[in-house]
Amino acid sequence: MGVTKVHNEYIKRVPEWSRIADVLSGRDAIIAGGQEYLPMLESHRRDYLKYRAYQSRGIFYNATALSHQSYLSAIFRRDPTLRLSGRTEHMRENITGVGDNFYTFAKTATGEVLGKGRYGLMLDRPRDGGAPYVVGYCAGQVRNWRLRGVDA
């Protein structure tokens, strides 16, 4: 699987991840989704302004986002424990190399896994031998992958 090839699972999941992102974003994203989320009635086809009025009156109770936030809050009710060696101690306050602390990064990654079921993490180090850092990738940013078993 080369870098230019897209994984079949990715192709199947992109529309789902897009809908999840819209729902978690809230009412404005759902309204911006237009007919994907709120199809036009027959009378709206003759008068688009009626559709826009119909759309603007719509109520979107976002139980999904409320549940997502509740789960995330429950998981992070207590601060996560992080054990680092001397060479990686800097990662507690700057895990990404651009100032994000471990807590913020962990909460972002966990939120993505709760919402979309996956989040990519890559540990990298500058060519000059500088301090290692972690880069996070949302589900839609990882277009191809391989899986292999590892003895636990």
Side-chain angles (χ1 to χ4, degrees), residues 15-124:
E16 176 186 333
W17 292 330
S18 179
R19 286 190 305 273
I20 290 168
D22 287 347
V23 169
L24 292 177
S25 292
R27 183 179 187 274
D28 290 345
I30 297 300
I31 288 175
Q35 293 185 59
E36 181 175 349
Y37 302 118
L38 184 63
M40 281 187 176
L41 301 174
E42 192 59 41
S43 64
H44 297 151
R45 297 191 196 292
R46 293 183 296 278
D47 187 352
Y48 186 73
L49 291 177
K50 278 186 179 180
Y51 176 71
R52 293 296 295 164
Y54 176 66
Q55 209 178 22
S56 69
R57 289 190 309 269
I59 296 171
F60 179 67
Y61 179 73
N62 201 342
T64 302
L66 292 170
S67 297
H68 182 267
Q69 187 57 49
S70 295
Y71 283 124
L72 196 56
S73 296
I75 291 168
F76 284 89
R77 184 172 52 97
R78 293 190 185 143
D79 286 349
T81 302
L82 180 63
R83 294 189 185 116
L84 298 167
S85 67
R87 288 183 54 193
T88 57
E89 183 59 40
H90 72 281
M91 295 178 102
R92 186 178 310 279
E93 295 304 320
N94 187 10
I95 193 166
T96 60
V98 292
D100 295 329
N101 65 41
F102 174 78
Y103 180 86
T104 302
F105 187 80
K107 199 165 184 180
T108 298
T110 303
E112 285 291 317
V113 171
L114 283 173
K116 296 179 185 161
R118 62 179 61 205
Y119 188 73
L121 298 173
M122 181 181 74
L123 180 64
D124 205 355

